[in-house]
Amino acid sequence: MTTPTYAVPTLPRPADAPERTAYLVASGDLRESANVAGWPTQLGLERVLTDAFAAHGWTVQRANDVDPATGHGFISSQRMGLDVFRDIPPDAPLVVAEAVWQYSHHVLAGLRTHRGPILTAANFAGDWPGLVGLLGLNAGLTKMGKDYSTVWTVDGTDHWFRDAIAQWVATGRIIHDDSHVHALPPLPGTPETELGEALAAQLLTEKAIIGVFDEGCMGMYNAIIDDELLNGIGIYKERLSQSALWAEMQRVGDAEADEVQAWLTDAGMTFRLGTDEATELTPAQLRWQHKMYVAALRIADDFGLDAVGIQYQQGLKDLSPASDLAEGLLNNVQRPPVRSRDGERVLWDGQAFPHFNEADEGVAVDALVTNRLWTAMGLDPATTLHDVRWGEEFDGQFVWVLEISGSVPASHLEGGYAGAEGWRQDPVFFPAGGSTLNGVSRAGEIVWSRVYIADGRLQVDLGRASAVALPPEETARRKEATNPEWPIMHAVLHGVSRDQFMARHKANHLNVAYAPDAGTADRALEAKAAFFAALGMPVHLCGDTSLTR
């Protein structure tokens, strides 16, 4: 009998890590238009990092060269990430530099098995969402239980950044100040605590369904929550396809879509219209967005959903104008009425229907809890999922730019619908266009929160903040420094510094809800903490709250 011959693979011996050398990778967008446009900004960040390491006698070596065909050096797909990491010594110090939005799954496999110390870094700037990308990546590393350090800088000249780099090259770690984070103390037997616990018991007993139109938006591994974790707090998924949403949009008639437009016009919303489909907002784009709004509610009715999230950014973006206008309408109590297919019912009449933008399931949990709690307290239950975009000091305090890529519920805006404008989405990210629900968030007291995964458990950070009014010229400057077509909130976090927040926050998103005054906001936070705690989730109070004073 002859011995069989098999094609047994031979694996190369892993390369040794050079002394005093850090390898650098940059996870990019899946949309080449965004990678090309953001590359000059990325180069600036990489120069800052190279100089900072050189000051300690270290070399920063790019793990992959600039591709002459694309003109950039981003890792732009999961397959490319696997190929790049194959040549990185597994024990080498590794820097993940992010000056733009990035798809975390491009580098997920390489980071999961990398043995050397990992540093994530971003430029603290608003022109590109590098900070948003950094926070999303950090949240993903936290979810997978992977140790990492993180750092950020405006231009590389600040002592804090320099000291952090010095600490990392010496020890492989950067230790941040987390003194603003407090464990939830025993809650008093107040009506707010009783309400939160009663609503939690209801959710655990009666359960709820969130509808997800395709998971995994824009590589946000951190925004996908496994069923085992969701089911444990009484929430179940209805997995839906964006193709079903698109099909349902075809069934919505033009006249019905035009009724939505007429309602918005009568409410005072204005739109910056043009005729060029490639670069301007057109009535045809608006009509499709209104059909999406109607279709989403009808499918939610079909499946008995309690909240819904539309992925949009992959697949649907090549078919339809943006989902953002529909999302903002859904989250608002006052919105265009949508009737059931038989015309006999107005769906969720006089109610906000929770929508979690970009299919972020952490926000799904948060929005569902907030909707039920704020409604029970007689408060406006509208919520906004914001990107943590950027910020600067103004008049002696640090004011964050919170800015979501498209829309907020009109009740969060100064002037409501009358203060809202529809601008076309940027063709770099949104080739099919579509209107944003743009405006400036009104001044007021807010509760902010984030549900995330750490140590294999669902957890939540809660805090208080104030949305503040800035002079019109400062608002205009901040919008132009970021994306002027997107709605903005000027936020001051209570008792949390810029660097404390950046080091702690485990998401690219932050969820906010208003209260009519500070006392009511404090009571709502107490009730929300009780709600989450009764679901069995660790609750972390961040900064100054009525429960930590």
Side-chain angles (χ1 to χ4, degrees), residues 172-346:
R173 296 183 62 201
I174 298 173
I175 299 173
H176 294 284
D177 175 17
D178 63 357
S179 60
H180 67 293
V181 183
H182 311 279
L184 183 67
L187 292 172
T190 62
E192 290 75 28
T193 297
E194 293 173 2
L195 175 62
E197 291 173 347
L199 288 170
Q202 180 187 39
L203 178 58
L204 290 169
T205 301
E206 298 179 359
K207 303 180 176 57
I209 303 173
I210 60 171
V212 186
F213 283 106
D214 293 339
E215 289 186 306
C217 183
M218 295 188 291
M220 291 190 299
Y221 165 73
N222 64 292
I224 302 171
I225 299 178
D226 292 338
D227 293 59
E228 286 74 16
L229 294 178
L230 282 177
N231 297 169
I233 61 171
I235 297 176
Y236 291 74
K237 290 185 197 178
E238 191 73 56
R239 287 177 169 84
L240 304 168
S241 170
Q242 292 188 110
S243 62
L245 180 61
W246 177 243
E248 185 64 32
M249 289 165 62
Q250 315 307 305
R251 302 185 185 105
V252 180
D254 290 348
E256 200 167 10
D258 293 344
E259 288 176 1
V260 174
Q261 181 63 41
W263 191 98
L264 293 172
T265 300
D266 290 344
M269 186 172 176
T270 57
F271 297 87
R272 296 190 173 192
L273 295 174
T275 58
D276 182 0
E277 292 286 347
T279 61
E280 297 177 307
L281 179 64
T282 67
Q285 294 169 23
L286 286 170
R287 182 176 276 176
W288 278 116
Q289 290 184 292
H290 302 331
K291 291 183 178 184
M292 184 185 294
Y293 166 66
V294 174
L297 278 171
R298 285 187 176 151
I299 292 176
D301 186 46
D302 291 341
F303 288 91
L305 303 182
D306 296 279
V308 72
I310 303 170
Q311 194 236 90
Y312 181 75
Q313 296 285 356
Q314 295 308 129
L316 201 58
K317 72 174 174 59
D318 300 312
L319 292 172
S320 168
S323 58
D324 299 276
L325 180 58
E327 294 162 357
L329 297 179
L330 289 169
N331 274 328
N332 208 58
V333 171
Q334 291 184 307
R335 52 183 176 78
V338 174
R339 305 195 74 84
S340 56
R341 288 187 188 84
D342 59 13
E344 294 185 0
R345 293 173 294 124
V346 176

Side-chain angles (χ1 to χ4, degrees), residues 45 48-49 96 98 119-125 130-131 134-135 138 148-165 174-177 398 400 497-506:
L45 171 61
V48 166
L49 290 168
V96 189
E98 298 301 337
L119 175 67
T120 64
N123 56 331
F124 205 90
L131 295 177
L134 175 82
L135 290 171
N138 288 353
Y148 68 95
S149 296
T150 188
V151 72
W152 46 89
T153 183
V154 174
D155 57 10
T157 62
D158 55 291
H159 291 295
W160 179 87
F161 168 72
R162 292 177 175 181
D163 291 345
I165 296 296
I174 298 173
I175 299 173
H176 294 284
D177 175 17
F398 191 85
W400 284 97
S497 71
R498 183 198 81 166
D499 293 338
Q500 286 175 325
F501 183 85
M502 285 294 301
R504 168 70 185 183
H505 200 60
K506 304 305 181 188

Side-chain angles (χ1 to χ4, degrees), residues 72-108:
H72 68 77
F74 290 114
I75 295 175
S76 55
S77 71
Q78 186 168 207
R79 170 53 60 188
M80 182 180 177
L82 292 176
D83 293 342
V84 169
F85 270 89
R86 188 178 296 128
D87 295 327
I88 299 174
D91 296 305
L94 181 68
V95 178
V96 189
E98 298 301 337
V100 301
W101 172 253
Q102 57 82 37
Y103 281 53
S104 295
H105 76 289
H106 292 171
V107 293
L108 177 65

Side-chain angles (χ1 to χ4, degrees), residues 374 377-380 442-446 513-521 523-524:
W374 261 239
M377 294 182 70
L379 306 176
D380 176 15
R442 59 185 173 85
E445 296 303 311
I446 59 177
Y514 277 88
D517 53 62
T520 305
R523 290 191 292 274

